[in-house]
Coordinates of all heavy atoms in Angstrom, one line a residue:
K326 N 25.0 -9.0 -14.8 CA 25.8 -8.5 -15.9 C 26.3 -9.6 -16.7 O 26.2 -9.4 -18.1 CB 27.1 -7.8 -15.2 CG 26.8 -6.4 -14.8 CD 26.9 -5.3 -15.9 CE 26.0 -4.2 -15.6 NZ 26.2 -3.5 -14.3
V327 N 26.6 -10.7 -16.2 CA 27.2 -11.9 -17.0 C 26.0 -12.3 -18.0 O 26.2 -12.6 -19.1 CB 27.7 -13.0 -16.2 CG1 27.8 -14.2 -17.0 CG2 28.9 -12.7 -15.4
A328 N 24.8 -12.4 -17.4 CA 23.6 -12.7 -18.2 C 23.4 -11.8 -19.4 O 23.2 -12.1 -20.6 CB 22.4 -12.7 -17.4
K329 N 23.5 -10.5 -19.0 CA 23.3 -9.5 -20.1 C 24.4 -9.6 -21.2 O 24.1 -9.7 -22.4 CB 23.5 -8.0 -19.4 CG 23.1 -7.0 -20.3 CD 23.2 -5.6 -19.5 CE 23.3 -4.5 -20.5 NZ 23.7 -3.3 -19.9
W330 N 25.7 -9.7 -20.8 CA 26.8 -9.9 -21.8 C 26.7 -11.2 -22.6 O 27.3 -11.3 -23.7 CB 28.1 -9.9 -21.1 CG 28.4 -8.6 -20.4 CD1 27.9 -7.3 -20.7 CD2 29.2 -8.4 -19.2 NE1 28.4 -6.4 -19.9 CE2 29.3 -7.0 -19.0 CE3 30.1 -9.2 -18.5 CZ2 30.0 -6.4 -17.9 CZ3 30.8 -8.7 -17.4 CH2 30.7 -7.3 -17.1
L331 N 26.0 -12.2 -22.0 CA 26.0 -13.5 -22.7 C 24.7 -13.6 -23.6 O 24.4 -14.6 -24.2 CB 26.0 -14.8 -21.8 CG 27.3 -15.0 -21.1 CD1 27.1 -16.2 -20.1 CD2 28.4 -15.4 -22.1
G332 N 23.9 -12.4 -23.6 CA 22.7 -12.4 -24.4 C 21.6 -13.3 -23.9 O 20.9 -13.9 -24.6
L333 N 21.5 -13.4 -22.5 CA 20.4 -14.2 -22.0 C 19.2 -13.5 -21.7 O 19.2 -12.2 -21.6 CB 21.0 -14.9 -20.7 CG 22.3 -15.6 -20.7 CD1 22.6 -16.3 -19.5 CD2 22.4 -16.6 -21.9
D334 N 18.1 -14.3 -21.6 CA 16.9 -13.8 -21.4 C 16.8 -13.3 -19.9 O 16.8 -14.0 -19.0 CB 15.8 -14.8 -21.6 CG 14.3 -14.3 -21.4 OD1 14.2 -13.2 -21.0 OD2 13.4 -15.1 -21.5
M335 N 16.6 -12.0 -19.7 CA 16.7 -11.4 -18.3 C 15.3 -11.2 -17.7 O 15.1 -10.6 -16.7 CB 17.2 -10.0 -18.4 CG 18.6 -9.9 -19.1 SD 19.9 -10.1 -17.8 CE 19.8 -8.7 -16.8
K336 N 14.3 -11.9 -18.3 CA 12.8 -11.6 -17.8 C 12.7 -12.1 -16.4 O 12.0 -11.5 -15.6 CB 11.9 -12.5 -18.7 CG 11.6 -11.8 -19.9 CD 10.1 -12.0 -20.2 CE 9.8 -11.2 -21.7 NZ 10.4 -11.9 -22.7
R337 N 13.5 -13.1 -15.9 CA 13.3 -13.6 -14.5 C 14.6 -13.1 -13.8 O 15.0 -13.7 -12.8 CB 13.2 -15.0 -14.4 CG 11.9 -15.6 -14.9 CD 11.8 -17.1 -14.7 NE 12.9 -17.8 -15.3 CZ 13.5 -18.8 -14.8 NH1 13.3 -19.2 -13.6 NH2 14.5 -19.5 -15.5
S338 N 15.2 -12.0 -14.2 CA 16.6 -11.5 -13.7 C 17.6 -12.4 -14.2 O 17.4 -13.5 -14.6 CB 16.5 -11.2 -12.3 OG 16.8 -12.5 -11.5
G339 N 18.9 -11.9 -14.2 CA 20.0 -12.6 -14.9 C 20.3 -14.0 -14.3 O 20.8 -14.9 -14.8
G340 N 20.2 -14.0 -12.8 CA 20.7 -15.1 -12.1 C 20.2 -16.6 -12.6 O 20.9 -17.5 -13.0
P341 N 18.9 -16.7 -12.6 CA 18.3 -17.8 -13.1 C 18.7 -18.3 -14.5 O 18.9 -19.5 -14.7 CB 16.8 -17.7 -13.0 CG 16.6 -16.5 -12.1 CD 17.8 -15.7 -12.2
A342 N 19.0 -17.3 -15.3 CA 19.3 -17.5 -16.7 C 20.7 -18.1 -16.8 O 21.0 -19.0 -17.5 CB 19.2 -16.3 -17.5
V343 N 21.7 -17.5 -16.0 CA 23.0 -18.0 -16.0 C 23.0 -19.4 -15.4 O 23.7 -20.3 -16.0 CB 23.9 -17.0 -15.2 CG1 25.2 -17.7 -15.0 CG2 24.1 -15.6 -15.9
E344 N 22.3 -19.6 -14.3 CA 22.3 -20.9 -13.7 C 21.8 -22.0 -14.7 O 22.4 -23.1 -14.8 CB 21.3 -20.9 -12.5 CG 21.2 -22.3 -11.7 CD 20.3 -22.4 -10.6 OE1 19.5 -21.4 -10.4 OE2 20.4 -23.3 -9.8
E345 N 20.7 -21.6 -15.4 CA 20.2 -22.7 -16.4 C 21.3 -22.9 -17.5 O 21.6 -24.1 -17.8 CB 19.0 -22.0 -16.9 CG 18.0 -23.1 -17.5 CD 16.8 -22.3 -18.0 OE1 16.1 -21.6 -17.3 OE2 16.3 -22.7 -19.2
L346 N 21.9 -21.9 -18.0 CA 22.8 -22.1 -19.1 C 24.1 -22.9 -18.7 O 24.7 -23.6 -19.2 CB 23.2 -20.8 -19.8 CG 24.1 -20.9 -21.0 CD1 23.3 -21.6 -22.1 CD2 24.6 -19.5 -21.5
A347 N 24.6 -22.5 -17.4 CA 25.7 -23.1 -16.8 C 25.6 -24.7 -16.7 O 26.6 -25.4 -16.9 CB 26.0 -22.6 -15.5
R348 N 24.4 -25.2 -16.7 CA 24.2 -26.6 -16.7 C 24.6 -27.3 -17.9 O 25.1 -28.5 -17.9 CB 22.7 -27.0 -16.5 CG 22.2 -26.6 -15.0 CD 20.9 -27.5 -14.5 NE 20.5 -26.8 -13.4 CZ 19.4 -25.9 -13.4 NH1 18.8 -25.6 -14.5 NH2 19.1 -25.2 -12.3
E349 N 24.7 -26.5 -19.0 CA 25.1 -27.1 -20.3 C 26.6 -26.9 -20.6 O 27.2 -27.5 -21.5 CB 24.5 -26.4 -21.5 CG 23.0 -26.5 -21.4 CD 22.4 -25.6 -22.6 OE1 23.0 -25.3 -23.5 OE2 21.3 -25.2 -22.3
G350 N 27.3 -26.2 -19.6 CA 28.7 -25.9 -19.8 C 29.7 -26.7 -18.9 O 29.3 -27.4 -18.0
D351 N 30.9 -26.6 -19.3 CA 32.0 -27.2 -18.5 C 32.7 -26.1 -17.6 O 33.3 -25.2 -18.0 CB 33.1 -27.6 -19.5 CG 34.4 -28.2 -18.8 OD1 34.5 -28.2 -17.7 OD2 35.3 -28.6 -19.5
P352 N 32.4 -26.3 -16.3 CA 32.9 -25.3 -15.3 C 34.5 -25.2 -15.2 O 34.9 -24.1 -14.7 CB 32.3 -25.8 -14.0 CG 32.0 -27.2 -14.2 CD 31.7 -27.5 -15.7
Q353 N 35.2 -26.1 -15.9 CA 36.6 -26.0 -15.7 C 37.2 -25.4 -17.0 O 38.4 -25.2 -17.1 CB 37.2 -27.4 -15.5 CG 36.8 -28.1 -14.2 CD 37.3 -27.4 -12.9 OE1 38.2 -26.6 -13.0 NE2 36.7 -27.9 -11.8
S354 N 36.4 -25.1 -18.0 CA 36.9 -24.8 -19.3 C 37.5 -23.4 -19.4 O 38.5 -23.2 -20.2 CB 35.7 -24.9 -20.3 OG 34.7 -24.1 -20.0
V355 N 37.0 -22.4 -18.7 CA 37.6 -21.1 -18.7 C 38.3 -20.8 -17.4 O 37.6 -21.0 -16.3 CB 36.6 -20.1 -19.0 CG1 37.3 -18.7 -19.3 CG2 35.8 -20.4 -20.2
K356 N 39.5 -20.4 -17.4 CA 40.3 -20.3 -16.2 C 40.1 -18.9 -15.6 O 40.9 -17.9 -16.0 CB 41.7 -20.6 -16.4 CG 42.0 -22.0 -16.9 CD 41.8 -23.2 -15.8 CE 41.8 -24.5 -16.3 NZ 40.6 -25.4 -15.9
F357 N 39.3 -18.6 -14.7 CA 39.1 -17.4 -14.0 C 39.7 -17.6 -12.6 O 39.6 -18.6 -12.0 CB 37.6 -17.0 -13.8 CG 36.8 -16.9 -15.1 CD1 35.5 -17.5 -15.2 CD2 37.3 -16.0 -16.1 CE1 34.9 -17.3 -16.5 CE2 36.6 -15.8 -17.2 CZ 35.4 -16.4 -17.5
S358 N 40.3 -16.5 -12.2 CA 41.0 -16.6 -10.8 C 40.1 -16.2 -9.8 O 39.1 -15.3 -9.9 CB 42.3 -15.7 -10.7 OG 42.1 -14.5 -11.2
T359 N 40.1 -16.9 -8.6 CA 39.2 -16.6 -7.5 C 39.5 -15.3 -6.8 O 40.7 -15.1 -6.5 CB 39.4 -17.7 -6.4 OG1 39.4 -19.0 -7.1 CG2 38.2 -17.8 -5.5
P360 N 38.6 -14.5 -6.6 CA 38.8 -13.1 -6.0 C 39.4 -13.2 -4.6 O 39.1 -14.2 -3.9 CB 37.5 -12.4 -5.9 CG 36.6 -13.2 -6.9 CD 37.1 -14.6 -7.0

Side-chain angles (χ1 to χ4, degrees):
K326 279 281 151 49
V327 171
K329 190 176 158 201
W330 295 333
L331 289 176
L333 307 190
D334 181 1
M335 304 274 291
K336 281 221 181 66
R337 286 185 303 137
S338 78
V343 172
E344 181 183 12
E345 206 176 308
L346 185 65
R348 290 200 193 102
E349 298 171 28
D351 172 0
Q353 303 289 347
S354 57
V355 190
K356 300 289 171 226
F357 296 131
S358 52
T359 318

